[in-house]
Amino acid sequence: MDNLFNKIDEILFASAKKMLNPVINQDLGILIYFATRYKINKEECYKKKCIFLLNIFIDRFNEHEFSIGLFDGFEGVFLTIDYLEKCKIIEDSSAFLESIEDNLYQSIIIDVENNKFEAFYGSIGKSQYFLDEDKIKDNKIIYLINQLLDSLWESKKELNGQIYWYDKTKNDERLENINLGMAHGICSVLIFLVRLKELQFYNPYLDKLIFGLAKTFNNAKNGINEKSFFPAIYNTKNKHFSIISNRRAYCIGDLPIAYAFCYAGRVMNNNDWIEFSKLILLKNTNLTPSNSSIYYFGHYNFFDIGFCHGISSILFLFYKIHKFHEDDLTISNIEYWKKELVNNVSKFIEIKGDIHKLCTYNKLGDKILDSQNSFLHGLCGAALTLLSVEYNEIEWSKFLCLS
């Protein structure tokens, strides 16, 4: 593994050293990777790399045109700098963040006013920075979180005890479809609410929202003959309109929901939810990259290693779930998917030039992999996942909304 990590170090540092795209999905994700390397082994070379990248980032910050959301917007800066302090790369994150914290606050308020809740581009992803025992006690943050919760309550849809919201990113509000996933769906909402319970945050709607969401998931499950436990898209009024096929990945799929229920069960002392999560896992064992809806780059002979829809997230989610279940089922899955990730990363880093997707059988198209070193789709997410499993280090993952 040391040899593999050394090759990854070289590739990622070369990719980020100009900080041309200083967001978590790109160069800040690589900064987080090197901070994690330093946190694990305290080798000074990794701290020097972090300081170098941080200084370039500071020079670039005011001239970069940020997009929106936690992964591609300026909001990811807060979790990155906060993590650098935790890793002892810098002494005081407030010296970097205090002057711009109001911008984050206002960004969340705007999302709340527009009922934009999801993890990638909305208020729940952006709020992760405030979800710790110290920040959550600040009166200004208490007000902000209450505004968010009140907005969730007022904008919710209800049917037979179910509570949910439509996914606005794909016009599913018009179709009355519900995205069950992490990135744009209600899974991240459930985990966010449970995290507030864990922090002993009080709001009169909190329990009602959690139990209403749990009922939605319980009603959404597929029939016993389907390949996945849940559909990708759930229609409450007519299950025939649901999109049954589903991935096993972070963005959307069974595993984030399994994590949400084992997490909620532990926090809220609900054994039924813990057992429900085990049922979901049983449906997702004995899988391979070939039958998990993971994209295969046939011309290059590797499966997608990315965190959004690839092998990285499957391994990471099994690893996180194992922290709760600690059983042979999760251990065997961790061992299997780690081997698959190492194998496919080894192939990935030997490829020179752009990686194209196929447009027809065995013919490369114009579409290339979205940034080969990115967190969501490329090497950075795979590298951080391997660090997690190899060294039992997951503190970096706060920006994933997996508390």
Side-chain angles (χ1 to χ4, degrees), residues 152-167:
L152 280 170
W153 181 258
E154 291 166 7
S155 64
K156 72 185 184 306
K157 307 297 180 184
E158 285 187 274
L159 181 68
N160 300 325
Q162 300 173 93
I163 288 178
Y164 49 88
W165 300 262
Y166 299 127
D167 176 11

Side-chain angles (χ1 to χ4, degrees), residues 146-398:
N146 276 321
Q147 289 289 102
L148 200 167
L149 292 172
D150 291 350
S151 182
L152 280 170
W153 181 258
E154 291 166 7
S155 64
K156 72 185 184 306
K157 307 297 180 184
E158 285 187 274
L159 181 68
N160 300 325
Q162 300 173 93
I163 288 178
Y164 49 88
W165 300 262
Y166 299 127
D167 176 11
K168 293 184 177 182
T169 62
K170 295 183 179 178
N171 295 317
D172 282 347
E173 188 166 18
R174 178 177 57 83
L175 299 173
E176 298 187 348
N177 284 337
I178 303 162
N179 186 317
L180 299 178
M182 271 293 299
H184 310 295
I186 63 172
C187 184
S188 59
V189 181
L190 176 58
I191 293 173
F192 168 72
L193 297 172
V194 174
R195 175 59 176 157
L196 292 176
K197 287 290 291 186
E198 187 177 30
L199 291 169
Q200 299 182 342
F201 189 90
Y202 173 76
N203 181 282
Y205 302 131
L206 202 50
D207 282 4
K208 296 175 184 177
L209 289 169
I210 290 171
F211 282 96
L213 276 166
K215 188 163 187 178
T216 300
F217 279 110
N218 187 63
N219 288 1
K221 57 184 182 288
N222 282 330
I224 58 173
N225 294 323
E226 300 298 339
K227 292 182 179 179
S228 60
F229 197 92
F230 291 101
I233 300 296
Y234 169 50
N235 191 292
T236 58
K237 295 184 178 179
N238 190 337
K239 292 191 77 169
H240 294 294
F241 294 157
S242 298
I243 300 175
I244 299 301
S245 61
N246 205 350
R247 296 174 183 261
R248 274 81 170 180
Y250 170 76
C251 182
I252 190 165
D254 286 351
L255 293 179
I257 302 171
Y259 171 79
F261 273 91
C262 64
Y263 175 50
R266 296 291 182 181
V267 171
M268 302 184 69
N269 196 29
N270 188 317
N271 195 59
D272 289 342
W273 290 350
I274 295 172
E275 293 303 313
F276 189 55
S277 75
K278 291 179 180 179
L279 288 177
I280 302 169
L281 290 178
L282 284 173
K283 193 82 170 182
N284 287 272
T285 195
N286 299 320
L287 295 173
T288 69
S290 299
N291 62 11
S292 300
S293 300
I294 297 175
Y295 186 84
Y296 179 59
F297 292 83
H299 184 77
Y300 310 93
N301 188 31
F302 78 91
F303 284 93
D304 182 2
I305 64 170
F307 205 93
C308 199
H309 298 298
I311 297 173
S312 297
S313 66
I314 296 178
L315 173 58
F316 187 80
L317 284 160
F318 271 118
Y319 188 71
K320 285 279 286 185
I321 291 168
H322 179 67
K323 300 290 185 181
F324 293 106
H325 287 321
E326 296 184 339
D327 56 21
D328 292 340
L329 176 64
T330 51
I331 289 173
S332 62
N333 276 285
I334 290 166
E335 291 173 348
Y336 173 80
W337 287 104
K338 181 184 176 183
K339 289 179 182 176
E340 287 295 325
L341 185 56
V342 169
N343 180 41
N344 283 274
V345 166
S346 298
K347 294 177 181 179
F348 183 93
I349 63 178
E350 295 304 321
I351 297 168
K352 309 301 180 185
D354 293 333
I355 296 175
H356 293 254
K357 292 189 175 184
L358 296 177
C359 62
T360 58
Y361 178 73
N362 210 30
K363 182 178 179 181
L364 295 178
D366 294 330
K367 189 174 182 180
I368 64 173
L369 182 64
D370 180 20
S371 182
Q372 291 171 212
N373 296 316
S374 71
F375 178 83
L376 288 173
H377 305 291
L379 185 59
C380 182
L384 278 165
T385 298
L386 288 174
L387 285 179
S388 293
V389 178
E390 187 72 7
Y391 296 104
N392 190 28
E393 178 53 62
I394 59 174
E395 190 174 13
W396 61 268
S397 65
K398 188 174 180 180

Side-chain angles (χ1 to χ4, degrees), residues 93-109:
S93 61
S94 64
F96 295 85
L97 301 176
E98 200 168 52
S99 63
I100 60 172
E101 196 166 291
D102 276 347
N103 298 83
L104 174 61
Y105 188 92
Q106 290 303 319
S107 175
I108 296 171
I109 286 292

